[in-house]
Amino acid sequence: MKKGFLRKLITATLAFSLSTSLLIGCESKSTSVAKAGTYTATESGFGGDVTVNVTISDEGKISSIDVTADSETPTIGGEAAPKLAKTIVDTQSLAVDTVSGATYTSTAVINAVTTALTEAGADIKALKNNKVSKNGQNEEVNVDVVVVGAGGSGTAAALAASEAGLNVLVVEKNPSAGGNSKIASGFFAIGTELQKNEGLDLSVDKAVQDLMEFNQYLSNGTIVRKIVENAADTVEWLQGYGVEFYLPEKTTQLAHEDDLYKWKTYHKFVDQATAFENMYSNLENMGAKVVYNTSLETIIKNDDGVVTGITAKKEDGGILTVNASATIICTGGFGADSEKTAAALNSNLFNSLGMPNAGEGISAIEEIGGFDLDATPLLHACQFAESTVKQDSAGENLAGFSDTSLTQILNTPLLWVDTTGSRFTNEDVVYDTAFWANAAYTVGGKYYIIVDKATLEAFSNGTSLTVSQAGPGAKMDLDDFVKLADASVEAGTAFKGSTLEELAEATGMNATDLKATVERYNSMIEKGSDTDYGKASTSLAYKVESGDFYAFDVRGVFLGTIGGVKVDDNMQVMTTDFELIPGLYAAGTTAGGYYTGVGYPPYEGLACGFAYTSGRIAGTSAVNYVNSLK
Ligand SMILES: Cc1cc2nc3c(=O)[nH]c(=O)nc-3n(C[C@H](O)[C@H](O)[C@H](O)COP(=O)(O)OP(=O)(O)OC[C@H]3O[C@@H](n4cnc5c(N)ncnc54)[C@H](O)[C@@H]3O)c2cc1C
């Protein structure tokens, strides 16, 4: 059992009755199936196995589906699995939609139920053709403020607007709140009580200058200043709503150790699930309403150019029109839009982690005159290709690396080559996750780690290299690395050759280039000096000398996107003419200006610091605007 998971049996025992084939908003023909009995099947979900027990009644109907999905992220797949099982029972159909945000778990449930029903002798084709027609009612509501997206930025915006006494509605596409913010670990802020208690005296001025310089003054100065100035207060404000933070005693990003601004600014969340529960119970107490499974469609702008609300699609297919004095879009970025991210990265070889935000908020803003200033994938760390381990909200394997001790090979500065066989970077970038992924970007998102068998044997006894523990970190157990590497070769995520020529052939590299790279690297190790890229002499540990030789396939990773539409420092959306759009605000990864420039600055927690602080600013700005209309 994985540590940190809430192990629970999710039971969706649902009494079948003929009347359930007619749902509120859903219609389906009932399709007779199979022999009576209970049938079991298991499929791989997001974090592990998803098992279903499908019971067929004497009438040949699906009378109940019990789901065990204890390895799934409790608040995502854990909630989606029984919900989907209920839909299958209610509709007697396999033509059901996956639950938004929980595609892996949903697919596992549908596939497992299909297997069980096949065993029961059901007519699978008929069940798949039994389309559920959605005929939900359209609805219309009037509120002061509508917040779209219930991640960190949207939640902060809703709290700020609600505490001012306004009537707030939050519209969320997924079945639960949190978004990427719920799987993130920490928050950048300067000057908090937590820092002061440790005797730290960090300067907002210096942090602003560092961030501006990092991005070569391409970021928006007023936004950077306002966020950094307000982040500490936002930490304390969130603490008041039940979000607990602590300052780490050391950083896992070893390259940051000498710069307190990079890591003693990282306020780690104690427990994100509880934090979101607390924030939402506070919101409810203040009278805010939240609708889930409801996805933004359009932003409504009147003839005077004023935004007056949104339309959104409900789960039952009906349209929800929200008339609002102020509209705040916090739908995150477009990490799930693989075409757009591939275009931005000039490569489709990167691995993507995070919630499947598809950029609807940014597109809807563009439709009514705003524009995308600087949205781009958030490059962060690397992982082995085809890793079967994905992130969970409990922190373990968060960034989706392999779960074996081979992660020590990934997280150390061994010899890295591009797909032609040439070395391309100082491998010590492994000690800074942003720079590490940036280095992978320069070679199209994919590189190989080259080692020989002797190196693997040395790792089996404990490596002399410092192993990075950033992100999920490496698994430090001693193991048989040759065996692990051979298993990767078997799985197609690593390659092996008894000679370098053979290895080059297996990977498609240029054998002459690879041999030249290896010879040069070995000679630099002998001299103890990396005259090409300046890697520390302590990292020049393992020559690549005699077969077998191995090449591990590694991919750069992005964590959703950062940047977004043009806003001013009140988070009010602007047109391409830099004119403010009345009534419309954006925050978090829907809003741009904070990072425009060369890349994601290596200051820990910057994205969450921006999400919550910009959300709070957007909420406060909306309050001022709504009050000005009265
Ligand atoms: C694995 C991982 C780890 C990370 N770790 C860190 C970290 O430690 N520190 C850090 O600073 N950053 C981290 N990040 C980045 C950070 O989490 C995000 O940049 C930040 O949380 C974005 O907040 P947000 O409110 O803009 O978006 P989100 O938190 O993603 O919220 C967007 C919300 O909008 C909803 N939504 C999307 N589309 C629609 C629609 N059409 N209609 C209605 N609702 C919609 C989504 O379902 C979601 O709930 C991490 C990211 C990932 C993926």
Side-chain angles (χ1 to χ4, degrees):
M1 180 173 96
K2 283 184 183 167
K3 193 173 52 173
F5 274 115
L6 279 184
R7 181 170 268 273
K8 63 177 182 182
L9 179 72
I10 300 161
T11 305
T13 306
L14 309 154
F16 172 78
S17 77
L18 279 175
S19 63
T20 55
S21 64
L22 267 182
L23 298 171
I24 302 169
C26 293
E27 261 183 41
S28 146
K29 281 182 280 160
S30 81
T31 306
S32 180
V33 294
K35 291 190 293 289
T38 297
Y39 303 85
T40 302
T42 299
E43 285 281 334
S44 261
F46 195 69
D49 284 348
V50 173
T51 298
V52 298
N53 290 315
V54 180
T55 302
I56 306 294
S57 69
D58 290 341
E59 295 81 35
K61 305 290 180 192
I62 308 167
S63 61
S64 72
I65 301 174
D66 296 343
V67 189
T68 307
D70 53 347
S71 292
E72 302 304 88
T73 307
T75 52
I76 303 174
E79 284 178 11
K83 190 176 158 178
L84 192 57
K86 179 177 181 332
T87 306
I88 294 170
V89 175
D90 286 347
T91 58
Q92 298 290 297
S93 168
L94 284 172
V96 289
D97 292 336
T98 57
V99 177
S100 176
T103 315
Y104 286 99
T105 315
S106 304
T107 307
V109 171
I110 295 168
N111 289 345
V113 171
T114 305
T115 305
L117 289 173
T118 306
E119 205 194 317
D123 183 347
I124 300 297
K125 202 169 160 202
L127 287 164
K128 284 197 168 160
N129 284 335
N130 188 20
K131 298 265 186 262
V132 180
S133 66
K134 293 184 172 178
N135 58 357
Q137 298 295 306
N138 294 342
E139 289 175 54
E140 191 162 345
V141 295
N142 301 322
V143 294
D144 293 324
V145 179
V146 61
V147 178
V148 190
S153 57
T155 305
L159 285 166
S162 296
E163 70 184 10
L166 296 191
N167 176 11
V168 175
L169 177 70
V170 181
V171 175
E172 166 58 46
K173 175 174 163 180
N174 280 339
S176 58
N180 283 313
S181 307
K182 202 168 173 178
I183 49 179
S185 309
F187 183 119
F188 176 90
I190 302 271
T192 58
E193 286 303 313
L194 281 168
Q195 287 166 331
K196 288 178 192 155
N197 291 344
E198 289 194 16
L200 291 163
D201 182 19
L202 301 178
S203 147
V204 165
D205 295 346
K206 177 172 161 39
V208 171
Q209 281 152 27
D210 286 357
L211 288 172
M212 294 303 293
E213 269 175 33
F214 180 88
N215 269 331
Q216 302 179 345
Y217 288 85
L218 288 163
S219 309
N220 182 301
T222 57
I223 292 177
V224 173
R225 176 95 215 167
K226 195 155 175 182
I227 295 297
V228 178
E229 263 178 5
N230 283 284
D233 193 47
T234 303
V235 164
E236 266 115 48
W237 177 75
L238 287 169
Q239 283 170 330
Y241 285 118
V243 184
E244 283 187 69
F245 296 93
Y246 69 97
L247 274 181
E249 277 172 20
K250 54 184 185 168
T251 178
T252 54
Q253 303 243 17
L254 301 177
H256 297 178
E257 269 174 338
D258 294 337
D259 186 346
L260 293 178
Y261 283 80
K262 287 186 172 160
W263 71 276
K264 265 294 180 185
T265 44
Y266 194 38
H267 297 72
K268 296 196 83 172
F269 302 109
V270 171
D271 173 0
Q272 280 285 65
T274 307
F276 269 89
E277 265 170 39
N278 291 343
M279 287 190 284
Y280 277 82
S281 68
N282 274 295
L283 267 177
E284 222 171 88
N285 291 341
M286 290 190 283
K289 298 263 178 314
V290 190
V291 289
Y292 294 103
N293 303 304
T294 304
S295 180
L296 173 72
E297 294 260 297
T298 61
I299 296 170
I300 307 166
K301 191 163 93 166
N302 70 16
D303 293 343
D304 299 326
V306 177
V307 166
T308 59
I310 59 142
T311 64
K313 192 157 203 177
K314 297 186 293 165
E315 195 184 20
D316 64 13
I319 295 294
L320 173 67
T321 300
V322 186
N323 303 310
S325 304
T327 297
I328 308 176
I329 306 295
C330 300
T331 50
F334 58 86
D337 185 336
S338 51
E339 243 175 65
K340 251 178 141 177
T341 53
L345 294 168
N346 305 308
S347 166
N348 60 8
L349 296 177
F350 282 83
N351 286 352
S352 163
L353 292 173
M355 298 293 291
N357 295 333
E360 292 102 330
I362 293 175
S363 302
I365 290 172
E366 285 177 321
E367 294 269 316
I368 55 109
F371 72 102
D372 177 357
L373 176 74
D374 57 3
T376 188
L378 194 179
L379 290 174
H380 207 261
C382 295
Q383 62 182 175
F384 286 127
E386 307 284 332
S387 170
T388 52
V389 180
K390 304 166 194 89
Q391 89 261 15
D392 64 64
S393 64
E396 201 175 25
N397 299 315
L398 185 66
F401 300 101
S402 156
D403 59 352
T404 75
S405 295
L406 263 188
T407 39
Q408 293 174 40
I409 298 285
L410 181 72
N411 287 16
T412 45
L414 293 159
L415 169 61
W416 300 352
V417 300
D418 65 14
T419 50
T420 71
S422 299
R423 191 165 170 239
F424 60 95
T425 191
N426 173 347
E427 294 89 349
D428 281 339
V429 290
V430 75
Y431 299 127
D432 180 309
T433 44
F435 289 179
W436 183 15
N438 288 352
Y441 169 80
T442 67
V443 290
K446 168 176 172 164
Y447 67 88
Y448 291 105
I449 302 170
I450 307 292
V451 295
D452 62 10
K453 194 173 173 190
T455 304
L456 292 173
E457 284 163 352
F459 269 73
S460 299
N461 297 318
T463 176
S464 62
L465 289 173
T466 304
V467 182
S468 173
Q469 292 298 344
K475 187 171 178 182
M476 293 308 292
D477 299 352
L478 292 182
D479 207 330
D480 183 338
F481 277 67
V482 176
K483 217 165 144 189
L484 291 173
D486 284 336
S488 299
V489 174
E490 189 75 19
T493 59
F495 300 88
K496 182 178 176 179
S498 57
T499 61
L500 285 173
E501 284 86 354
E502 258 183 50
L503 188 67
E505 199 183 330
T507 52
M509 285 181 218
N510 178 312
T512 312
D513 286 354
L514 179 63
K515 278 173 72 180
T517 300
V518 166
E519 268 168 38
R520 186 167 175 78
Y521 186 71
N522 288 344
S523 77
M524 289 194 292
I525 291 192
E526 266 162 35
K527 287 189 217 123
S529 169
D530 176 2
T531 47
D532 286 344
Y533 296 107
K535 181 156 78 170
S537 54
T538 45
S539 297
L540 290 165
Y542 298 102
K543 285 197 215 169
V544 180
E545 285 184 309
S546 49
D548 292 332
F549 298 101
Y550 291 82
F552 293 92
D553 185 348
V554 178
R555 305 302 168 94
V557 171
F558 60 90
L559 306 176
T561 60
I562 45 167
V565 299
K566 173 74 185 161
V567 291
D568 74 351
D569 62 351
N570 290 324
M571 299 296 132
Q572 187 170 354
V573 178
M574 299 175 96
T575 66
T576 43
D577 297 328
F578 281 38
E579 281 173 3
L580 292 166
I581 302 178
L584 183 62
Y585 302 84
T589 38
T590 309
Y594 191 54
Y595 317 92
T596 324
V598 299
Y600 186 61
Y603 293 78
E604 297 174 30
L606 217 52
C608 276
F610 178 67
Y612 286 90
T613 310
S614 66
R616 185 181 177 209
I617 292 170
T620 307
S621 305
V623 170
N624 294 337
Y625 173 69
V626 173
N627 287 339
S628 77
L629 300 176
K630 287 180 181 163

